[in-house]
Amino acid sequence: MSTSKSNKIIITIDGWSSCGKSTLARQLARKLGYVYIDSGAMYRAITLYFLRNHIDWTNKKLVEKALNDIELEFIFNEKLDQSEMFLNGENVEYVIRDMVVAEKVSEIAAIKEVRDFAVAQQRKMGKARGIVMDGRDIGTVVFPKAELKIFMTADNAIRVERRFKELFEKNPNITLEEVQNNLEMRDYIDSNREVSPLRKAKDALVLDNSNITPEEQLKKAMNWVKEIESGKSKVESRK
Ligand code: DC
């Protein structure tokens, strides 16, 4: 596929926790020469800041003040061939994946001021187009006019197992039950919050990856990209 600036598109990937959004987003970004933005990492970094600085996030004034002191940046790590999240100049890519952050992130991501702060930065990142961004509200709120919107889903048990394997590598004390409870809690809060709840955009294409390999999911998504490029997409115009 051509990646000349003029025909670069915006691809959004939303869906439940741990259903493979970031894997697909990375695959697509590599294949297309696009930038991958993990919007969840931004909410995780903000959560880390609030926890470390004992911010009372029920107090709107304190939240606003804290957000003024937060600088988020994605910096590309050539060795790892991926971007990493920096919070006020510190690489926090690893620490934001911790359970301590996972336990609070949905609560903090539900705060309007936090969302306004993150969404404004996400939209700036999309100005140059040629991006794949994953999250919960990317196709509905951040880029409602994106050319390709994907909504990912996978069976609950499969999601829990995938997440467990990932976390167990870092922390062998973690239990399957803990992981399951955390996923259920996050899905509940993410889809029931007042501001920008997790929803499938009307014009999003659903990708259930419960029983397909990463290669198959990439093939499916790339076919959608090609359809859009050739103007044959069945996806309605988003003008
Ligand atoms: O994608 P993730 O699991 O790293 O996201 C962490 C949390 O951040 C998730 O529970 C919900 C929230 N989130 C959000 O509310 N909106 C986004 N666009 C991305 C993530």
Side-chain angles (χ1 to χ4, degrees), residues 14 17-18 21 38-41 43-44 97 105-106 109 115 122 134-138 163 186 190 193:
D14 291 301
S17 293
S18 300
K21 299 184 297 297
D38 171 4
S39 72
Y43 292 100
R44 287 172 180 267
R97 311 288 160 194
V105 63
S106 284
R115 299 207 73 80
Q122 289 155 6
D134 74 342
R136 306 293 187 287
D137 62 337
I138 312 302
R163 190 75 183 155
R186 288 204 285 141
D190 296 344
R193 67 184 174 220

Side-chain angles (χ1 to χ4, degrees), residues 112-141:
K112 184 180 179 302
E113 290 72 22
V114 170
R115 299 207 73 80
D116 290 347
F117 174 83
V119 170
Q121 298 190 27
Q122 289 155 6
R123 287 191 178 140
K124 260 193 214 155
M125 294 171 193
K127 279 241 151 68
R129 311 180 61 72
I131 63 161
V132 186
M133 190 178 288
D134 74 342
R136 306 293 187 287
D137 62 337
I138 312 302
T140 51
V141 174

Side-chain angles (χ1 to χ4, degrees), residues 5-187:
K5 202 165 185 178
S6 58
N7 62 8
K8 283 186 171 178
I9 64 170
I10 292 182
I11 303 175
T12 66
I13 304 181
D14 291 301
W16 308 101
S17 293
S18 300
C19 61
K21 299 184 297 297
S22 63
T23 303
L24 177 63
R26 261 195 203 103
Q27 288 174 312
L28 278 173
R30 277 202 188 118
K31 188 94 183 166
L32 297 165
Y34 281 15
V35 174
Y36 162 51
I37 306 287
D38 171 4
S39 72
M42 300 170 73
Y43 292 100
R44 287 172 180 267
I46 296 167
T47 302
L48 179 68
Y49 182 92
F50 282 14
L51 289 171
R52 278 180 174 172
N53 294 282
H54 310 286
I55 307 295
D56 170 8
W57 57 78
T58 61
N59 183 321
K60 189 177 150 176
K61 285 251 153 19
L62 294 179
V63 166
E64 282 169 343
K65 189 172 175 294
L67 289 171
N68 271 330
D69 295 330
I70 294 180
E71 206 184 283
L72 300 177
E73 203 182 353
F74 286 101
I75 298 181
F76 193 73
N77 181 328
E78 288 195 2
K79 264 196 204 147
L80 300 178
D81 193 25
Q82 65 179 55
S83 291
E84 293 178 308
M85 181 84 258
F86 281 69
L87 165 65
N88 293 339
E90 175 193 349
N91 184 342
V92 293
E93 182 61 34
Y94 189 79
V95 69
I96 56 172
R97 311 288 160 194
D98 204 278
M99 261 314 230
V100 180
V101 172
E103 269 165 17
K104 294 289 171 212
V105 63
S106 284
E107 205 179 306
I108 284 162
I111 301 169
K112 184 180 179 302
E113 290 72 22
V114 170
R115 299 207 73 80
D116 290 347
F117 174 83
V119 170
Q121 298 190 27
Q122 289 155 6
R123 287 191 178 140
K124 260 193 214 155
M125 294 171 193
K127 279 241 151 68
R129 311 180 61 72
I131 63 161
V132 186
M133 190 178 288
D134 74 342
R136 306 293 187 287
D137 62 337
I138 312 302
T140 51
V141 174
V142 183
F143 299 119
K145 291 187 178 171
E147 287 82 358
L148 175 58
K149 300 179 185 180
I150 300 175
F151 189 85
M152 286 190 72
T153 157
D155 288 349
N156 273 12
I158 293 176
R159 294 197 288 130
V160 171
E161 196 155 315
R162 283 181 189 156
R163 190 75 183 155
F164 175 72
K165 273 193 193 144
E166 213 178 283
L167 289 168
F168 186 79
E169 276 177 26
K170 282 198 226 164
N171 172 13
N173 294 320
I174 201 143
T175 66
L176 201 65
E177 199 187 1
E178 257 179 286
V179 174
Q180 181 167 2
N181 289 342
N182 180 257
L183 282 198
E184 281 172 5
M185 178 200 70
R186 288 204 285 141
D187 284 347

